[in-house]
Amino acid sequence: MTDQALPLPARRSSVEKLIKTVGLMRESRIGMFGLALVLFWLILALVAPILPLIPPLKQFSSHLLAWPLTEGPDGAYFWLGTDDLGRDLLSRLIWGARRVFIWAGLATLSAYTTGMFMGVAAGYLGGRWDDVLSFIGNLVMSFPLIVLYLIIIGRFGATPLNIIVAVTLATGPQVMRIVRGIVLDLKTRDYIAAAQVRGEQPLYIMLVELLPNARGPLIVDACLRMGYVTITIALLGYLGLGLPPPEPDWGSMINAAQKFGSFGANAMLWPAIAVSTMVLGLNMLADGLREISLRD
Amino acid sequence: MHDTKSSIPVLECKDLCISYYTRGGEVPAVVDFNLTVMPGEAVGLVGESGCGKSTVALAIMRHMGRNGAITGGSIKFMGRDITSLSEEELRSIRGSQIAMVYQEPMASLNPSMRAGDQLNEVLMIHQDMNEQKARQRSMALLAKVRLPDPERIMLAYPHQLSGGQQQRVLIAMALLSNPKLLLLDEPTTALDVTVEAGIIELIKEISREFGTSMIYISHNLGLILETCHKVTVMYSGHAVETGSVKQVFDMMRHPYTRGLFDSIPLPGTDRISRPLVPIRGQLPLPADRPAGCSFSPRCDYFQKGRCDKPIPMLPIGGDPGHEARCVRHEEIDWSFRKGAGQSQEPMSIGGPVLEVEHMRKYYELKDHSIAAWYRGLGRRFVKANEKLDFVAREGETVAIVGESGCGKTTFAKVLMGLESASEGHVKIQGRDIANLPVQKRDPKLIGSLQLIFQNPFETLNPSHTVGSQVARVIKKFGVATKPDEIQRRMFEMFDLVKLPREFAYRKPRQLSGGQKQRIGIARAFGGKATVIVADEPVSALDVSVQAAITGLLTDIQRKKHTTMIFISHDLSVVRYLADRVVVMYLGHIMEQGTVDQVFAPPYHPYTEALLSAVPIADTSVKKKHIVLKGELPSPINPPPGCPFQTRCHRKIGEICETQMPPERDMGNGHHILCHLPEEVLRSMEPVIAFGRGGDEAKSPMRSQPATPVPVPGKG
């Protein structure tokens, strides 16, 4: 034997890897703060059904637009007050987080899948493929986003599916650009040449050889993107194009409360804080991930 | 040559310790390092990657980044301790008193500034010159570094210069403010051999003319021999041996130095009769260096109780100035040479496997501009390969030699089916594949014709385990179909390349460079290859690993009777490894024949220049000195007549500029493409000869007879 084993850690399961990554996160204060914010909302969203909350749809007509810490009719407290229909804000906020995670998550996933396939095809195949895909991407990106949303949702109705389609259309091309850039760099590597030399199909090269190596920057970008999508969904809700009522949704909560001017200030404040902290958390998490990935 | 009597040394490192701080804690990169550079002296720092040689250079510049720090000792520059200087004081020293030239010339120049502005800047900042005066001085220095037409160079952007020109500009830049000390960190590694020879010539001239002290960092012992007076050999953060070049090269007194010399293909080594001896094991990570001698785990002379204690640099008795970090240097029998007489069975060479007939490859360039149309340049061709003709037989190694741009990579691409030939035939076992793209080849054909890549750090996909990457090849080429069968064959490939089977579950980043290249080889042979194209398979590896990889390739080739097309620019490795050599220049085959024929006269003038350009780490070798002038012409617009005429040192006149030279048959398949009359060719002197030095007995390298090496063929 001429070469001996490099001393290295034993193989770890993916759970251990995750714990290790979170451990690395401790090196970035920003990342830790972001992770805490995201986890705060995530855990609340997960445990919402078992929390002793007033049902989010239950209306108390005697307590419209109540202030925080108001005592309710059956002895329950409205910790954060109520909205214009007398529904508990705290409960709606937490149930709303659930909705945000589900729909923003699904929309991001959908945008990512589309963008990734388009990007890897444009980047790897080049030529006509690149011309056509990039043209489509540029065409969509040249549209003012709000107009795009208004057209799609205004025309086809505000259903969760349409929102996902709209977000995918708006975000997909942006993801495509990033993936295309990474792939343009990766495809010059020798392992791609090695795959070509052994006669691999382009689809195999794209999916097996290229995409796994793009995951680093894409994970960071996905965090940021999820933040933007959260804002977008809140924005759509605020514009009245959001997820259908009466299910709680942060954007439409703000929209509903703003009609009452200063009386609605309390009902408007909490969902606004929720959106901001959630997006801030995701952005900071992305920053932290980037920071630790740059360190050696 | 240099004035060692002068009072104070230019640079003095004393007990220098340098550490890097990483996630894992403090990593000592350099430990207890001593170095003295006197005025006018050139000192070489030699060692493999990770030995700390560049760290020393960066520490001298006090430029180690956020996570590096000098943890002990001192660095005195002109008697002043620079470890305690402020940033402000350092700035006034850097670039004016101490200058550095880096490995990658393109990365060292600002791509958006003209070369002239970058040169002037140095003078305007450090010496408060006005632009007019700075310009004059810059031009003068550009002429000094032998750049033709300094006027034009001053106005050029970096991308408009060739690699050699860029490096000359950088050397001029370093010399602008008359530095006391010049640090050269592998300044020629990124360049072609003939360009390298020119730069080395220049560096020697500078040391003579300007009296600048130099620290020359390199992994190439041959270059150190050519440029330096003294040398320090480093291993794993320690200086292991230091002395004058002659002392260290002729009387090495450290087992690592000895190991290094045994693993480089010097003239006289041969894969059959005198195979190289790799150093076993590999460089320990800084974190698990052994106590005591850092080389002990790999050393044949390790003795418990003595070698595992900290060892200082010990003076070699009777040899002032020569020191080695080895407690047993007096006991070891230094004339014993491991591997001597370990001759191998010669290869059996069969019938032709690969036949290349009149192959031509042109790339079409289309220019749609009106200017191009007007001048009739709308369609031009890059003539990458012109009329290639050669044959490779079973079990044979054919080397294709040439500098970048000679068309060797294009040929490999045609062979692999990534490009198709414009004309001619490429036959594998009688089947023409010149125009058969890889998508249309059947798996068996693809499997029988595989490639070993140059850079092991890039050929393996970092996301997959190395085992799965080898298994993929076995499955893809239909060698095995059932999963357990595939796995068994995959493990067999690991045995073949002498890697433990557990390594199959590792990701590429968990392997060293040499181990990665072994996986690359396993992958190439996985499909029962009959022809292997090896594109510089060892040039990215460390010297001691190179020997192991070339040995492995030879072993596998013998076992499997594989034909190997070995693409390289390194003539030392070619001489060691190949049976036949094809020398290419600008797409033409300039010379071909057996190794003995090509490496001995008669030569093609280009082969002659190439041979003289290769640095050889043997003090007894006398080389003829040929430095090629000018730049490689562009293959879009090759010179008329002989392609080599623009740089040829043996040009005979007009005929070279007008007529394509005839292919002269010098007998036994030795062909030379040259106008020189046959008598002139036959009367050439060998480029490399062993001089008759006085200390014959001391040099282990000189067990060869003092004849030209290798022995001329029958032709």
Side-chain angles (χ1 to χ4, degrees), chain A residues 1-8 24 27 189-191 194 197-200 204 208-209 212-213 215 292, chain B residues 23 281-282 416 438 446 453 458-464 472 476-477 498 503 506 510 515 518 523:
Chain A
M1 256 321 296
T2 41
D3 290 34
Q4 276 150 17
L6 282 174
L8 13 96
L24 285 179
E27 286 177 25
R189 304 286 162 92
D190 279 346
Y191 54 83
V197 161
R198 58 172 197 264
E200 298 287 7
Y204 176 91
V208 180
E209 304 278 346
N213 293 305
R215 65 177 186 271
I292 55 170
Chain B
R23 247 180 219 141
Q282 60 181 343
M416 304 316 298
V438 68
I446 300 175
F453 288 85
E458 273 207 358
T459 48
L460 299 177
N461 192 322
S463 296
H464 304 300
R472 174 73 193 170
K476 179 86 193 158
F477 298 149
K498 296 179 186 152
F503 276 35
R506 293 191 177 180
Q510 296 168 314
Q515 289 165 344
R518 280 170 197 269
R523 200 168 58 172

Side-chain angles (χ1 to χ4, degrees), chain A residues 51-224:
Chain A
L51 287 180
L53 292 170
I54 301 165
L57 299 184
K58 194 170 175 194
Q59 301 183 2
F60 296 89
S61 46
S62 53
H63 291 75
L64 301 183
L65 291 173
W67 288 96
L69 294 176
T70 314
E71 201 180 335
D74 42 7
Y77 265 94
F78 300 122
W79 295 101
L80 300 181
T82 58
D83 69 0
D84 56 319
L85 297 177
R87 293 174 295 196
D88 180 38
L89 276 179
L90 178 69
S91 167
R92 287 182 71 76
L93 217 53
I94 291 173
W95 283 93
R98 217 173 150 79
R99 253 189 149 188
V100 164
F101 272 104
I102 292 172
W103 296 113
L106 277 179
T108 312
L109 191 74
S110 153
Y112 245 86
T113 320
T114 322
M116 225 149 58
F117 278 106
M118 285 171 76
V120 77
Y124 179 70
L125 300 173
R128 287 261 178 276
W129 282 88
D130 192 13
D131 291 348
V132 171
L133 287 171
S134 293
F135 180 76
I136 295 173
N138 288 337
L139 200 70
V140 174
M141 278 193 284
S142 65
F143 258 78
L145 282 185
I146 300 289
V147 178
L148 196 72
Y149 293 141
L150 284 174
I151 294 173
I152 295 171
I153 296 165
R155 172 73 184 74
F156 299 102
T159 64
L161 184 71
N162 285 350
I163 286 175
I164 289 179
V165 170
V167 168
T168 303
L169 249 172
T171 316
Q174 296 169 12
V175 177
M176 182 191 104
R177 281 212 165 173
I178 294 169
V179 177
R180 178 177 169 273
I182 298 171
V183 166
L184 281 182
D185 171 36
L186 286 180
K187 79 167 180 179
T188 60
R189 304 286 162 92
D190 279 346
Y191 54 83
I192 301 303
Q196 289 167 339
V197 161
R198 58 172 197 264
E200 298 287 7
Q201 296 301 318
L203 196 65
Y204 176 91
I205 295 181
M206 287 191 276
L207 296 186
V208 180
E209 304 278 346
L210 281 171
L211 272 187
N213 293 305
R215 65 177 186 271
L218 290 189
I219 290 173
V220 174
D221 182 70
C223 282
L224 276 179

Side-chain angles (χ1 to χ4, degrees), chain B residues 80-348:
Chain B
R80 216 165 142 206
D81 192 348
I82 56 172
T83 53
S84 56
L85 293 188
S86 70
E87 272 303 307
E88 194 61 37
E89 290 167 303
L90 280 171
R91 253 202 298 283
S92 69
I93 288 182
R94 286 181 195 149
S96 79
Q97 309 250 17
I98 308 178
M100 189 155 176
V101 176
Y102 297 87
Q103 179 172 350
E104 240 353 291
M106 191 65 201
S108 308
L109 287 166
N110 184 339
S112 61
M113 269 172 90
R114 291 179 195 276
D117 295 337
Q118 299 188 45
L119 286 162
N120 295 346
E121 203 179 51
V122 177
L123 292 167
M124 285 154 69
I125 290 173
H126 281 301
Q127 302 190 356
D128 280 332
M129 269 190 199
N130 62 24
E131 196 167 344
Q132 184 87 39
K133 273 174 96 181
R135 222 180 104 73
Q136 275 172 13
R137 181 150 164 75
S138 303
M139 297 263 279
L141 261 159
L142 285 180
K144 272 254 158 48
V145 296
R146 307 256 174 279
L147 274 169
D149 202 358
E151 195 90 35
R152 189 182 67 81
I153 305 272
M154 290 286 281
L155 292 176
Y157 285 99
H159 73 268
Q160 295 168 320
L161 305 172
S162 73
Q165 288 173 333
Q166 289 171 359
Q167 200 59 294
R168 279 172 198 264
V169 168
L170 281 167
I171 291 174
M173 194 183 290
L175 290 175
L176 270 177
S177 49
N178 268 329
K180 298 275 188 321
L181 180 67
L182 185 57
L183 299 172
L184 300 149
D185 190 355
E186 307 252 15
T188 60
T189 311
L191 305 175
D192 271 321
V193 242
T194 55
V195 181
E196 172 181 84
I199 300 279
I200 293 301
E201 173 99 344
L202 173 69
I203 289 171
K204 284 196 277 191
E205 242 174 65
I206 289 166
S207 135
R208 262 199 311 271
E209 204 178 305
F210 293 74
T212 315
S213 301
M214 287 196 287
I215 294 182
Y216 192 100
I217 296 171
S218 182
H219 66 283
N220 188 327
L221 289 161
L223 289 178
I224 298 281
L225 173 63
E226 293 204 6
T227 49
C228 298
H229 308 120
K230 291 199 304 191
V231 62
T232 295
V233 182
M234 291 189 72
Y235 178 77
S236 188
H238 290 93
V240 292
E241 185 163 359
T242 179
S244 74
V245 166
K246 204 149 177 54
Q247 284 168 337
V248 174
F249 277 55
D250 288 349
M251 287 184 49
M252 53 208 83
R253 285 293 175 267
H254 194 281
Y256 174 66
T257 320
R258 161 49 74 76
L260 266 189
F261 275 95
D262 282 351
S263 52
I264 48 176
L266 292 169
T269 55
D270 182 298
R271 74 190 151 134
I272 308 294
S273 61
R274 286 183 46 160
L276 299 178
V277 189
I279 302 175
R280 66 190 161 85
Q282 60 181 343
L283 195 73
L285 294 176
D288 27 58
R289 271 185 207 137
C293 176
S294 54
F295 188 58
S296 57
R298 305 173 71 185
C299 183
D300 293 330
Y301 301 102
F302 174 74
Q303 218 175 43
K304 233 182 151 184
R306 289 177 70 198
C307 295
D308 42 18
K309 288 188 193 115
I311 296 160
M313 284 299 264
L314 300 168
I316 308 293
D319 202 7
H322 190 183
E323 290 177 19
R325 201 182 284 273
C326 179
V327 275
R328 303 194 61 205
H329 71 83
E330 279 172 353
E331 304 154 33
I332 297 172
D333 173 15
W334 294 102
S335 61
F336 170 75
R337 200 173 168 281
K338 208 167 105 179
Q342 257 183 21
S343 65
Q344 307 262 354
E345 218 180 296
M347 306 275 176
S348 57

Side-chain angles (χ1 to χ4, degrees), chain A residues 220-271:
Chain A
V220 174
D221 182 70
C223 282
L224 276 179
R225 206 61 68 184
M226 172 112 177
Y228 300 152
V229 173
T230 308
I231 290 191
T232 303
I233 289 184
L235 177 77
L236 288 176
Y238 176 75
L239 292 176
L241 300 170
L243 298 163
E247 298 294 326
D249 168 65
W250 294 348
S252 40
M253 284 165 76
I254 301 176
N255 183 31
Q258 71 151 359
K259 288 177 235 156
F260 301 92
S262 57
F263 296 106
N266 179 56
M268 212 155 56
L269 177 71
W270 297 109

